[in-house]
Each structure stands twice: as structure tokens, then as C-alpha cells.
Amino acid sequence: MVDLKLNRLPDRTPVKLTISIPPDLHLALADYAAIYQQAYGDDQAIADLVPHMLAAFLASDRGFAKAREGLTERRK
């Protein structure tokens, strides 16, 4: 077997998630998409913004990161 510097890539298959949200949250997301378009001149659908918003939220949640370390250790 060849010894490559790059490890095997992880599974990057998207997972479809269907949710229902209240009207006020939908309005806030629509407003965010409109402000995003004004800021960057790039029109993006709410569905395209939400995964990045969730990732940013999770990445910034230190309590979640710390608690998740414990879960990861138990999975090994």
C-alpha cells in the first residue's frame, strides 16, 4: 500500500433534514437572507444559508464543544 500524506477523506454525503419552523423564525431567516444579499451582493436561498448558520452556531458554542469531547471519548 502506498503511504500518502493525505488521509482518506471522510464521508461527505449530504444528509437531507426536513423540519417545520414557526412563521416568525421563517420571517427572521428571510430577513437574514435579504441582509446577506445586501452585504455581499449574492442572493442565497434560506435553505442554502441554514446549514452554514447551524455550523457557525455549533462551532461557537463552547459548552457544546466541551460536552461533545466526552461523547467522542465514549465512542472510541
Side-chain angles (χ1 to χ4, degrees), residues 18-58:
T18 303
I19 63 169
S20 297
I21 59 174
D24 58 333
L25 178 55
H26 181 263
L27 179 59
L29 291 170
D31 290 346
Y32 191 96
I35 295 166
Y36 180 94
Q37 194 281 329
Q38 290 173 359
Y40 298 110
D42 188 14
D43 193 23
Q44 295 290 330
I46 293 170
D48 294 330
L49 292 172
V50 168
H52 300 282
M53 296 168 80
L54 288 172
F57 173 80
L58 292 175

Side-chain angles (χ1 to χ4, degrees), residues 3-7:
D3 186 24
L4 298 177
K5 194 164 210 84
L6 180 66
N7 291 329

Side-chain angles (χ1 to χ4, degrees), residues 55 57-73:
F57 173 80
L58 292 175
S60 69
D61 189 329
R62 297 293 98 208
F64 170 70
K66 187 171 179 99
R68 191 173 190 205
E69 286 176 11
L71 289 177
T72 303
E73 291 172 6

